[in-house]
Amino acid sequence: MTGPRDVPAGRRPVICGLGLTDLGKVHGPTAAQFAADAVRFAAADAGLALGDIDGLLVSSGVTNGVHLDLQLDLGLHDLALLSEMQAYGSTAGAMVQVASMAVQSGMASTVACVWADAPLRPGRSGAAAYGAAARGQSGWRGLAASAGITSANQMYAMAARRHMERYGTSSEQLGAIAVAQRDWAVLNPLAQLRTPITIQDYLASRWVAEPFRLLDCCLVSNGGIAVIVTSADRAAGLRQPPVHVRGWAQAHPGHSGRRFDDFGLVSGAATAGPAALRMADVELADIDVVELYDCYTYTVLVTLEDYGFCGKGEGGPFVASGVLGPEGKLKVNTGGGQLSAYYMWGMTPLSEAIIQARGQAGERQVRDHELVLVSGNGGCLDHHSTLILAATS
């Protein structure tokens, strides 16, 4: 695959714009309206006019409310690239990859990537919003539903339980992740949850799907986030410091659920991570900031193992050692992640990565932020995207 190092410096892809709508329990706008606003905000952030955009990649969550006609909503004409993309939680990373390839090939010069959703309704719980997507399943999914597996909660709970049985991972170790990320969220004015928690608070939170408690599970949020990818030459005269896209990769394990399958124990990070690092020509030890997809605490644990921050099966003691959180040596999910900040699928880790790489994170800004690793995870450890972003070329 042709990576950024293989093209002239001026054509290398960078992220030049970031747009975030209001996020969380925001009622009223549709997913499409959130998406349009996010693109407008990203263009303004970059110092671009909407007419400067010649590529548009769109995606949505469970409401499936963002489509190709967003081009018309935004008044965009003569696009060189237009597509809907869906790889679940790995979509944001995948969109940046496609946009980067389009920019460095010359197919398009300025590509907006946007994800938005609006599952929350007044008087309706987040669980109800996502649970509705599981009803009416047929075939293999219907068989799973008949056994009581009606949502991602149960599937990820089985993955976590398998890791616990194989390696002795404990609830307290998962709780260390929830506590550390809440500590980061306290420092993030955009976070939905900013009240500090302790391990005792974690253990006292209600069961959702054993071994998961409420504080193991991500938020549900309304809103939209967009990023704009362009070339290094084009970004040179724009408003924001460019964030360079140095490496990328995807992996789609395709777990079968059959006997001897490695479901729950290994994710696509194990192959996508090393591939993205190779493209960027950096080592894992060079990474300063790590922004991981965290739909559940367990997703963080298994992704850290699969990237190689600790050995396979050693994730529990590793996360409980004090390595996470604002005072830890490994800067992971510095905005609070999806557990405490906001749930915008893969746009959550991506947006925080951009903010950190720019040096614009305020009280939570990490001192060393040259290289940022970003993960996206889709399905139940079925899809994965990795990005390596850099503050300089």
Side-chain angles (χ1 to χ4, degrees):
M1 179 187 295
T2 301
R5 291 181 297 136
D6 301 316
V7 299
R11 280 174 41 201
R12 292 173 184 172
V14 302
I15 296 171
C16 65
L18 171 65
L20 296 85
T21 69
D22 290 338
L23 304 168
K25 295 181 179 179
V26 184
H27 303 301
T30 65
Q33 289 168 335
F34 278 126
D37 283 344
V39 174
R40 294 186 184 101
F41 295 155
D45 178 67
L48 293 166
L50 281 178
D52 294 324
I53 295 171
D54 65 351
L56 181 63
L57 301 174
V58 304
S59 188
S60 183
V62 294
T63 59
N64 193 31
V66 185
H67 302 289
L68 298 182
D69 53 8
L70 183 65
Q71 175 188 8
L72 305 180
D73 296 342
L74 291 168
L76 301 178
H77 303 284
D78 301 318
L79 294 181
L81 173 65
L82 175 64
S83 186
E84 292 183 40
M85 292 183 62
Q86 181 59 276
Y88 304 110
S90 66
T91 306
M95 286 196 292
V96 170
Q97 294 172 27
V98 171
S100 296
M101 289 186 285
V103 165
Q104 67 182 24
S105 70
M107 178 182 178
S109 68
T110 310
V111 182
C113 308
V114 60
W115 185 94
D117 204 6
L120 293 176
R121 298 287 186 272
R124 183 186 185 194
S125 70
Y130 267 72
R135 291 194 287 272
Q137 298 284 3
S138 60
W140 172 252
R141 292 183 181 272
L143 179 63
S146 70
I149 303 171
T150 58
S151 74
N153 291 335
Q154 288 94 356
M155 286 296 292
Y156 275 93
M158 288 196 298
R161 176 60 68 190
R162 191 174 190 192
H163 198 279
M164 288 174 156
E165 295 296 328
R166 177 72 62 89
Y167 300 115
T169 309
S170 70
S171 291
E172 288 81 1
Q173 290 166 345
L174 294 179
I177 297 169
V179 171
Q181 292 197 194
R182 183 63 64 87
D183 287 345
W184 280 113
V186 170
L187 306 176
N188 182 3
L190 298 179
Q192 288 179 235
L193 301 177
R194 300 187 68 193
T195 301
I197 59 173
T198 66
I199 195 66
Q200 289 74 30
D201 294 325
Y202 165 83
L203 293 171
S205 64
R206 65 175 175 83
W207 291 110
V208 172
E210 195 174 354
F212 287 156
R213 296 171 165 86
L214 181 64
L215 293 178
D216 285 298
C217 305
C218 67
L219 297 159
V220 179
S221 309
N222 287 354
I225 298 180
V227 302
I228 296 178
V229 179
T230 191
S231 66
D233 275 351
R234 180 72 177 89
L238 298 181
R239 181 170 295 158
Q240 297 290 350
V243 176
H244 299 259
V245 187
R246 290 272 297 273
W248 59 76
Q250 297 180 36
H252 306 273
H255 297 294
S256 67
R258 297 174 180 171
R259 189 179 185 185
F260 305 125
D261 189 31
D262 61 5
F263 165 75
L265 302 179
V266 179
S267 74
T271 51
L277 289 166
R278 284 194 300 272
M279 179 183 285
D281 195 24
V282 298
E283 304 289 336
L284 194 65
D286 299 323
I287 299 297
D288 299 305
V289 185
V290 183
E291 305 294 350
L292 301 181
Y293 195 96
D294 60 321
C295 46
Y296 301 91
T297 52
Y298 177 66
T299 317
V300 174
L301 186 149
V302 73
T303 305
L304 287 170
E305 289 184 349
D306 288 344
Y307 277 144
F309 287 103
C310 60
K312 177 54 62 178
E314 298 174 3
F318 181 73
V319 300
S321 68
V323 71
L324 305 180
E327 302 304 318
K329 67 177 182 179
L330 189 63
K331 306 305 182 184
V332 175
N333 291 352
T334 54
Q338 299 171 122
L339 295 174
S340 288
Y342 45 84
Y343 183 55
M344 291 282 106
W345 283 22
M347 281 293 184
T348 299
L350 177 58
S351 59
E352 178 65 14
I354 295 166
I355 292 167
Q356 286 287 343
R358 286 177 171 181
Q360 298 174 349
E363 193 177 358
R364 69 186 189 280
Q365 179 63 51
V366 175
R367 183 187 62 186
D368 298 322
H369 53 90
E370 170 60 27
L371 286 172
V372 187
L373 182 153
V374 186
S375 81
N377 168 77
C380 189
L381 307 175
D382 294 313
H383 310 286
H384 193 89
S385 62
T386 300
L387 295 172
I388 307 297
L389 305 183
T392 62
S393 59

